[in-house]
């Protein structure tokens, strides 16, 4: 089956330095693929090129097998795009705005009204149809942004940091909506937050400083990234020097007076055993011991030094 998205050695420079270099992405027909990278890694550049908003310096983009550079109109029919700052016209109502977006997508006049109704229904914004966009909350504006991205029923929906800046309740709703959209569309979604990608995506592509450093399933990623940090919570913590005396411990950082981050060498099973034994012997009253995978900087360092790409 043809991949819905394939990029070949995608490279771009805005000035003399490359913003992205040799990005090779392949997205199959359904589900959510995450594009992870720190700020400035090249996520927006990659997504803008994939959506035909920016012309690449080198390389190719194929949407459902169609060369985007050669046949932009045909290829763009299959793409919906939610950029980092959704292109909302805030003085229009939701109905006016979505109708305008459908016209820009060159949809047949007779199909526009039902398409607007369907997109509103899917995004849960029907009850605000005649409300001006400027009078909507951030979460609802994001839904309108998603509605414009799916109005023409594209096969691929590209979302640039769609959960950025949402409050915790809006976040839950936005994730739910994205999962629903992914049932019958392929979704490529970017984030600089590893846990966000972990929650939503079945596959992950990671870029760092414009280069692809990882591309595989989320499970493979979690197995690949071996954390070298333990988080300990103790009722009666020892001094730092005692922790540093334990074989394999290389660094200790107290986050609160009861919680410590312990960096180690060797296997985590060995170090856990030594820490637990020391806790029993020395009476630290260990309440929690867990691997800490949350430090994206460490993951980047580990992957960029290990990856063959
Ligand atoms: N219009 C531009 N002109 C010059 N340089 C640019 C331009 N847009 C982006 N860059 C540079 O290209 C690199 C990649 O930027 P890009 O916005 O693609 O990264 P990003 O991963 O999306 O980051 P963020 O999450 O901060 O948006 C950065 O070094 C950035 O400074």
């Amino acid at each position: 089956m043809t991949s819905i998205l394939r990029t070949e050695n995608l490279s771009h420079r805005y000035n003399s330095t490359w913003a992205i270099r040799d990005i090779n992405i392949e997205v199959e027909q359904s589900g959510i693929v995450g594009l992870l990278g720190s700020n400035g890694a090249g996520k927006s550049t990659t997504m803008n090129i994939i959506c035909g908003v920016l012309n690449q310096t080198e390389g190719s983009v194929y949407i459902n097998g169609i060369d985007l550079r050669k046949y932009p109109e045909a290829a763009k029919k299959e793409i919906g795009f939610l950029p980092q700052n959704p292109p909302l016209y805030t003085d229009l109502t939701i109905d006016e705005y979505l109708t305008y977006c459908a016209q820009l997508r060159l949809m047949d006049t007779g199909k526009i009204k039902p398409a607007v109704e369907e997109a509103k229904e899917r995004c849960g914004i029907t009850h605000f149809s005649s409300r001006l966009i400027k009078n909507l909350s951030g979460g609802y504006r994001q839904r309108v942004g998603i509605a414009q991205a799916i109005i023409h029923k594209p096969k691929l929906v590209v979302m640039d940091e769609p959960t950025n800046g949402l409050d915790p309740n809006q976040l839950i709703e936005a994730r739910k909506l994205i999962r629903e959209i992914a049932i019958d569309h392929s979704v490529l979604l970017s984030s600089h937050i590893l846990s966000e990608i972990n929650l939503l995506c079945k596959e992950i592509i990671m870029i760092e400083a414009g280069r692809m450093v990882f591309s595989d399933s989320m499970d493979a990623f979690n197995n690949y990234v071996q954390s070298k940090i333990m988080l300990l919570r103790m009722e009666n913590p020892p001094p730092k020097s005692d922790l540093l005396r334990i074989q394999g411990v290389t660094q200790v950082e107290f986050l609160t007076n009861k919680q410590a981050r312990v960096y180690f060498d060797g296997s985590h099973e060995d170090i856990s055993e030594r820490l637990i034994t020391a806790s029993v012997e020395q009476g630290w009253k260990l309440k929690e011991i867990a691997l800490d995978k949350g430090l994206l900087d460490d993951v980047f360092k580990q992957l960029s030094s290990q990856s063959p790409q």
Side-chain angles (χ1 to χ4, degrees), residues 12-15 17-20 37-48 54 84 160-161 164 190-192 207 210:
H12 188 73
R13 57 174 174 219
Y14 292 99
N15 40 44
T17 48
W18 292 98
I20 56 165
S38 52
N39 289 331
K43 304 180 295 297
S44 297
T45 302
T46 306
M47 290 186 146
N48 286 337
L54 182 69
Q84 209 162 20
D160 195 355
E161 308 245 9
N164 216 6
S190 73
S191 179
H192 60 276
I207 54 178

Side-chain angles (χ1 to χ4, degrees), residues 23-41:
I23 303 288
N24 295 304
I25 294 179
E26 185 140 17
V27 174
E28 299 300 329
Q29 298 279 342
S30 72
I32 312 178
V33 177
L35 186 61
L36 177 70
S38 52
N39 289 331

Side-chain angles (χ1 to χ4, degrees), residues 137 144 164 267:
S137 67
V144 178
N164 216 6
S267 85

Side-chain angles (χ1 to χ4, degrees), residues 129-194:
S129 298
S130 350
R131 187 175 283 196
L132 291 178
I133 293 174
K134 68 180 168 197
N135 295 330
L136 294 172
S137 67
Y140 274 99
R141 284 184 191 205
Q142 195 68 334
R143 287 176 189 225
V144 178
I146 294 176
Q148 68 74 31
I150 60 167
I151 193 137
H152 54 302
K153 298 196 175 70
K155 289 202 169 75
L156 173 69
V157 182
V158 177
M159 301 184 185
D160 195 355
E161 308 245 9
T163 53
N164 216 6
L166 299 180
D167 72 28
N169 283 330
Q170 292 169 345
L171 254 178
I172 293 169
E173 291 296 319
R175 286 187 197 125
K176 186 165 164 261
L177 177 57
I178 293 167
R179 284 195 191 100
E180 281 165 13
I181 301 284
I183 294 171
D184 48 10
H185 300 81
S186 292
V187 174
L188 177 67
L189 162 159
S190 73
S191 179
H192 60 276
I193 303 167
L194 176 56

